Amino acid sequence: MGWRYRKSINLGGGFRINLSKSGIGYSWGVKGYRVTKTASGQTRKTYSIPGTGISYVETTPKTNMPRKMQKEDKRTLTIGETTYYSSENLETMSKNDIVLEKIKNVHTLNYISNILCILVVFIPIGLLIKIFIAIYGKINLEYEFDSYSKEKYNSLNTVVTEMRKNSKMWRVNTSVRNADLKYSSGATNSITRNIINIYKGTPWYIKSNIDIYYIIDGNKKIYLTPDRIIVLNGFKAMGCKYNNLDFNIFNSRYVEEGIVPKDAKIISYTWKYVNKNGGPDKRFNNNRQLPICDYGGLAVTSNDGINFRMQCSNIYIMAEVSKYLTKFVEIINKEMNSENTYYNFEDENEIAIK
């Protein structure tokens, strides 16, 4: 028998998910009896006498062949810039994902208990739900790595660690083309954005033996686990695996009307109301000079409707991030037996929508 690697995540209640390079398998049962669905499609039943080491294994052949990897399934890292609109559609991708279903169930219970605790009359019920979760519902994400999966995990962590060095990061919510550049400080696009931050940790009802980073985006929390992203938003818990995503590192010249971050690069100046020749429009008394900053950023997209765009204050840090992200994409593509594809786009000016 050859050497075999298996990474196991115990979700409690006799249920377990096994992650390996060959795919995902599931098992469930009690002492003396366990049913396992392997990544290759086989079903294995194990009968044992507890405490004796005696067991009997019955294996049922797989019923269908795994899908052959298609050429279009490869992930891409693009260098440049395009316009992205804010929308998220992870619910479809979360279906039939048992790990996410387990997290969703516990998250929904916890969310309900939070609401009940806010309502003074229902505080005892809310606390009872939390006690129930603490005793029976806690999820243990216990990760073990071989050299391949460890490289993937370290590469992801390096990307996140580098991005945290930015003085400021924003989530770009919308981007529209400007019809009249005079009233947009000469910026070709107007965007809306909000400040986001990256932290380390997990929800109290999830325990893990590794560091997991998450992004706070308004009411959403986006967790970056070694094998998938998980989005917690209100009652909802959604997510997808990294091999469903495309990544884009971009540069943009941004007309900054707020405070310029200390690590931002100012490349020139413009006016709030600008003439075609670049000078100030003297018809406006409150016409002030504004800095144009060279910002970097990251956009994450998918064919299933995921469009997440970040703007980052330090262009030099994002140049380093692009190197580490390239490595991360290469590792994903090794997993999918394909190669990277690169595209290039032109820079454009941007300004905030008021």
Side-chain angles (χ1 to χ4, degrees):
M1 179 181 292
W3 288 100
R4 182 179 65 178
Y5 161 74
R6 186 180 71 180
K7 178 173 60 179
S8 177
I9 303 174
N10 188 356
L11 298 180
F15 181 85
R16 183 174 296 171
I17 180 171
N18 305 311
L19 305 180
S20 67
K21 288 186 69 175
S22 59
I24 301 176
Y26 309 99
S27 65
W28 59 95
V30 294
K31 283 187 177 181
Y33 177 73
R34 177 163 292 273
V35 178
T36 302
K37 186 76 171 179
T38 67
S40 62
Q42 290 182 330
T43 300
R44 184 170 62 246
K45 297 180 181 179
T46 303
Y47 307 86
S48 63
I49 303 175
T52 66
I54 300 173
S55 64
Y56 171 77
V57 179
E58 178 183 309
T59 302
T60 303
K62 58 187 176 181
T63 56
N64 61 325
M65 295 294 290
R67 181 180 69 89
K68 186 179 179 180
M69 188 64 66
Q70 301 296 321
K71 183 178 180 180
E72 60 268 24
D73 284 340
K74 64 185 176 182
R75 296 301 90 202
T76 63
L77 170 64
T78 61
I79 309 298
E81 181 189 24
T82 58
T83 301
Y84 288 89
Y85 294 86
S86 174
S87 67
E88 294 174 342
N89 182 21
L90 299 175
E91 292 185 79
T92 302
M93 300 173 68
S94 302
K95 290 181 179 179
N96 301 320
D97 191 318
I98 297 180
V99 174
L100 282 173
E101 281 298 315
K102 179 75 174 179
I103 292 174
K104 180 179 179 180
N105 293 337
V106 178
H107 171 72
T108 301
L109 273 179
N110 183 64
Y111 192 83
I112 292 172
S113 69
N114 290 339
I115 294 175
L116 293 175
C117 287
I118 294 174
L119 304 173
V120 179
V121 179
F122 298 103
I123 287 179
I125 300 176
L127 293 176
L128 283 174
I129 294 175
K130 286 188 178 294
I131 292 172
F132 175 82
I133 294 173
I135 298 175
Y136 300 106
K138 271 200 169 184
I139 301 171
N140 184 26
L141 297 181
E142 189 83 15
Y143 287 95
E144 296 178 1
F145 301 101
D146 62 359
S147 58
Y148 174 86
S149 56
K150 184 68 173 179
E151 183 185 17
K152 182 180 177 182
Y153 170 69
N154 288 339
S155 181
L156 173 64
N157 273 7
T158 303
V159 170
V160 177
T161 301
E162 286 297 311
M163 292 196 68
R164 294 181 76 193
K165 294 178 181 179
N166 283 282
S167 177
K168 274 192 176 181
M169 292 178 288
W170 302 266
R171 161 71 185 273
V172 177
N173 299 307
T174 62
S175 178
V176 297
R177 201 80 172 178
N178 291 319
D180 191 342
L181 303 186
K182 177 186 289 292
Y183 299 99
S184 63
S185 304
T188 53
N189 294 321
S190 289
I191 70 173
T192 59
R193 63 181 188 172
N194 59 278
I195 293 177
I196 60 175
N197 293 290
I198 302 177
Y199 300 98
K200 185 188 297 183
T202 60
W204 71 271
Y205 50 82
I206 295 179
K207 182 182 178 182
S208 181
N209 62 328
I210 62 169
D211 292 333
I212 295 178
Y213 291 98
Y214 67 97
I215 300 170
I216 294 183
D217 177 19
N219 295 324
K220 304 183 190 70
K221 288 186 178 179
I222 305 169
Y223 290 87
L224 308 173
T225 70
D227 55 336
R228 74 189 76 211
I229 62 170
I230 299 172
V231 180
L232 304 182
N233 182 23
F235 282 94
K236 297 179 179 180
M238 304 163 288
C240 72
K241 296 177 182 177
Y242 296 108
N243 57 10
N244 292 319
L245 302 173
D246 289 305
F247 304 91
N248 174 35
I249 295 290
F250 64 87
N251 293 19
S252 67
R253 295 184 296 272
Y254 183 81
V255 181
E256 184 60 78
E257 295 191 46
I259 298 175
V260 177
K262 60 183 179 181
D263 59 348
K265 178 184 178 182
I266 298 176
I267 54 177
S268 62
Y269 290 85
T270 185
W271 299 89
K272 186 173 182 179
Y273 304 102
V274 62
N275 290 322
K276 289 183 178 179
N277 62 5
D281 191 328
K282 296 181 179 180
R283 294 177 300 171
F284 298 90
N285 294 327
N286 62 338
N287 198 0
R288 61 191 178 97
Q289 201 171 34
L290 299 172
I292 301 176
C293 298
D294 193 6
Y295 287 154
L298 168 66
V300 182
T301 63
S302 78
N303 294 329
D304 300 276
I306 297 174
N307 286 275
F308 182 87
R309 180 182 173 189
M310 295 174 61
Q311 190 181 62
C312 305
S313 58
N314 193 313
I315 190 67
Y316 302 109
I317 288 176
M318 295 312 296
E320 290 299 309
V321 168
S322 68
K323 299 177 185 177
Y324 299 120
L325 192 55
T326 298
K327 182 178 179 181
F328 180 65
V329 172
E330 286 174 350
I331 295 172
I332 293 175
N333 282 333
K334 285 180 184 177
E335 200 172 41
M336 302 175 66
N337 193 27
S338 90
E339 299 177 354
N340 288 321
T341 301
Y342 296 87
Y343 300 96
N344 289 285
F345 299 93
E346 295 181 355
D347 290 344
E348 292 180 330
N349 287 343
E350 293 180 318
I351 188 173
I353 296 176
K354 297 297 183 181

